[in-house]
Amino acid sequence: MNPGQRALEVLAVGPQVLVQDLGRPGVADVGVGRSGAADRSAHRLGARLLAQEESRAGLEILLGGLRVRAVGQLTVCLTGALAPMTVDGSRVPHGAPVLLPDGAELAVGTPTEGLRSYLAVRGGISVDATLGSRSHDTLSGLGPPPVRAGQRLPVGAPPSSLPFVDQAVPGPAPDPLVLDVLPGPRRDWLADPAALAAAAWTVTDRSDRVGTRLDGPPLVRAEAYQDAELPSEPMVRGAVQVPGDGRPVVFGADHPVTGGYPVVGVLTEVGADRLAQTPPGRSVTLRWV
């Protein structure tokens, strides 16, 4: 890092803090998934509130616990999971630009709603890119490693425009959460496609950025496919895969590029973002659209 360059000095991290942008699309043909922010809408909102390009990298914070010190004057914004944020011990708003004077300490607490908060910094986190992206992929290990205490994360040059003074605070998610799902290429593998939407699913604690596992009544295959094997097919974020036990797995940001279980549906972009914020134990209903 150049002397005098603006940065975030990391003092503490919680369960997981990752550098994320919008990922690396277009390289699945060589076995590399897109990755990127698990909740893309939250990442994009932070960029808009700071009047900068959505491609700039920020920090994805799982369940809070981040403490950083500003090196140089910075402007930041917290979006995504509704977590308390303080600057030098004083509470500051969620979903709005916040000025960090040189040396100020910022802390992000445990969310009261959602899983993943996003700290956008005006100028972006300027670590080295891999295949055109600064995102960390938990499945392949590509990109900058998980953030650790003692690091200095360089911040890029800010855009020339002034930051917006807009504010956007998410409301509480409904319980059960209803997610829209589009028909997948293998929906006919289900004996009763309506069963996917009729069931009350529960997010399990075996969920991560690769995929969200749902627990509920096992889905039954159509008789024609009871013993069928499926060659591996390309996968996308939001794909609803049904493995042999009949309980769906919904792929997340770090999903593999191929999979061998039938994809019976695909969540909408909004649905995939909402599921990325859904903690274990919450009820989820899928709705065919």
Side-chain angles (χ1 to χ4, degrees):
M1 189 171 69
N2 296 329
Q5 182 176 16
R6 301 179 313 147
L8 286 175
E9 181 182 354
V10 183
L11 305 177
V13 296
Q16 185 184 73
V17 178
L18 304 174
V19 178
Q20 295 292 345
D21 53 24
L22 290 178
R24 45 184 70 85
V27 286
D29 59 331
V30 293
V32 177
R34 175 168 178 163
S35 190
D39 183 346
R40 293 179 190 167
S41 61
H43 173 90
R44 289 186 168 110
L45 176 60
R48 291 199 301 274
L49 291 171
L50 295 182
Q52 66 183 7
E53 303 91 338
E54 296 177 352
S55 58
R56 303 238 183 178
L59 298 180
E60 180 180 277
I61 307 159
L62 178 65
L63 294 174
L66 177 70
R67 284 196 305 116
V68 294
R69 179 183 293 118
V71 179
Q73 182 171 284
L74 303 172
T75 304
V76 300
C77 180
L78 191 71
T79 59
L82 193 56
M85 185 169 73
T86 60
V87 174
D88 288 337
S90 297
R91 188 74 176 262
V92 293
H94 183 282
V98 173
L99 183 67
L100 287 185
D102 182 28
E105 289 191 15
L106 177 149
V108 179
T110 303
T112 57
E113 182 74 31
L115 284 177
R116 296 175 172 92
S117 302
Y118 291 83
L119 185 68
V121 185
R122 199 149 193 266
I125 301 297
S126 189
V127 294
D128 292 338
T130 303
L131 295 177
S133 170
R134 294 180 169 91
S135 286
H136 174 77
D137 186 330
T138 61
L139 186 64
S140 68
L142 283 174
V147 175
R148 65 186 186 280
Q151 270 187 286
R152 276 199 174 193
L153 300 172
V155 173
S160 58
S161 60
L162 295 175
F164 296 142
V165 293
D166 197 0
Q167 186 171 4
V169 178
D175 191 11
L177 180 64
V178 180
L179 303 176
D180 288 339
V181 59
L182 302 163
R186 303 297 176 184
R187 189 167 77 153
D188 60 336
W189 282 50
L190 294 177
D192 179 15
L196 182 72
W201 302 103
T202 301
V203 176
T204 77
D205 59 5
R206 295 187 299 143
S207 303
D208 54 23
R209 281 178 50 89
V210 177
T212 299
R213 295 180 180 273
L214 303 179
D215 191 22
L219 298 172
V220 179
R221 281 191 181 188
E223 186 174 352
Y225 300 108
Q226 284 291 336
D227 300 313
E229 295 291 338
L230 185 66
S232 290
E233 296 180 317
M235 292 293 135
V236 297
R237 187 179 79 127
V240 182
Q241 224 186 29
V242 181
D245 65 1
R247 293 176 174 85
V249 177
V250 185
F251 279 153
D254 291 348
H255 65 84
V257 296
T258 62
Y261 293 119
V263 173
V264 300
V266 180
L267 292 188
T268 62
E269 283 287 308
V270 171
D273 285 342
R274 287 179 176 169
L275 187 59
Q277 296 289 7
T278 306
R282 286 291 297 271
S283 296
V284 173
T285 298
L286 302 180
R287 177 175 60 194
W288 290 112
V289 294

